[in-house]
Amino acid sequence: LSMFPEKLVHVGGDEVDTSLWKKRDSITKWMKKRNITDYNVLSQLYQDRQKRIIKKLDKSRQLAYWIFEGEHLKYQPDDVLHYWGHSQNFSDIASRNPSNKFIISYVDYLYLDCGLSSLVGGNSWCDPFKTFWTIYSLDLKSAQEKASILGAEACMWSEVVNEDVLEYKLWPRAAALSERLWNSNLASKTSVVRRLSAQGARLRSRGYHINPLSAEYCERHVEECW
């Protein structure tokens, strides 16, 4: 634990395939001995034990967990929940966990690998492609969202990403999220384009390989294109 000095520790918990638990004799026997038939109960026991271990090592640590629409584990008020799901379903998640703070990674706004083919050459499951303006348009309108959300994370899942294209797919779109989170007031597209273009120039000057925001002419003459 000393390798991670930050107070907040993200312990994951995402995409647990309980069908694999069913195939492991040691797990099924352990459950049977304790009269446990629900794999959600087993997940809860694991999660609670995990937290006890970390807290025993360092009481000051705060834990963050992955959470999604179909998940129904119980969390303690000091837990931070990292929501990977659709924006329209967040209010339900927040209402079920009213004491918790959230980090959001909305599929329909913040998944940067979407729209660029699946593992087998078809459409990606989270189409369409998330443009810089889609990302910047993220608006945390409700009072519940404003009260509950600590921040946001743009995700770049690596199934069809490697080191050759990583920076192109990240930038400047990830900068659009930073721009949005720093300022809750939605700016005009022309002013956003100017700032993202300037940031792109800074990144290029420092050796990053980034995707163009638009045609070079449009980045130089914003009013002509927007």
Side-chain angles (χ1 to χ4, degrees), residues 25-78:
D25 288 343
S26 60
I27 293 178
T28 56
K29 289 177 180 177
W30 190 91
M31 292 176 66
K32 185 176 181 180
K33 184 177 179 180
R34 291 160 177 81
N35 197 30
I36 298 173
T37 57
D38 187 340
Y39 283 97
N40 280 326
V41 174
L42 185 60
S43 295
Q44 188 74 60
L45 289 171
Y46 173 83
Q47 179 176 288
D48 293 345
R49 182 171 183 267
Q50 181 185 51
K51 184 167 187 175
R52 287 197 301 271
I53 291 172
I54 294 175
K55 286 291 188 178
K56 185 176 181 180
L57 292 171
D58 187 342
K59 292 181 180 180
S60 69
R61 297 304 179 99
Q62 187 176 21
L63 273 60
Y65 297 92
W66 174 78
I67 189 171
F68 74 114
E69 287 97 336
E71 189 269 326
H72 293 280
L73 298 182
K74 295 179 181 179
Y75 299 94
Q76 297 179 24
D78 64 325

Side-chain angles (χ1 to χ4, degrees), residues 56-145:
K56 185 176 181 180
L57 292 171
D58 187 342
K59 292 181 180 180
S60 69
R61 297 304 179 99
Q62 187 176 21
L63 273 60
Y65 297 92
W66 174 78
I67 189 171
F68 74 114
E69 287 97 336
E71 189 269 326
H72 293 280
L73 298 182
K74 295 179 181 179
Y75 299 94
Q76 297 179 24
D78 64 325
D79 294 332
V80 173
L81 306 183
H82 189 174
Y83 175 60
W84 295 341
H86 289 85
S87 58
Q88 66 266 28
N89 297 326
F90 175 73
S91 59
D92 177 61
I93 294 290
S95 64
R96 286 197 275 117
N97 301 276
S99 300
N100 297 94
K101 297 293 185 180
F102 290 85
I103 300 168
I104 59 167
S105 294
Y106 289 155
V107 174
D108 42 329
Y109 284 94
L110 302 178
Y111 274 34
L112 301 182
D113 52 309
C114 300
L116 297 170
S117 178
S118 68
L119 294 173
V120 293
N123 294 331
S124 66
W125 70 272
C126 53
D127 280 350
F129 181 85
K130 309 303 186 281
T131 69
F132 79 90
W133 190 248
T134 296
I135 295 168
Y136 180 76
S137 298
L138 173 65
D139 191 5
L140 308 178
K141 295 179 179 179
S142 72
Q144 183 181 43
E145 287 179 312

Side-chain angles (χ1 to χ4, degrees), residues 180-215:
R180 192 71 185 96
L181 294 177
W182 277 110
N183 188 349
S184 61
N185 297 318
L186 191 66
S188 68
K189 188 175 287 189
T190 54
S191 64
V192 173
V193 169
R194 286 194 186 93
R195 288 194 293 277
L196 290 180
S197 295
Q199 178 65 8
R202 280 191 288 269
L203 289 169
R204 291 189 188 95
S205 71
R206 296 172 184 177
Y208 288 90
H209 301 91
I210 77 168
N211 207 54
L213 190 68
S214 182

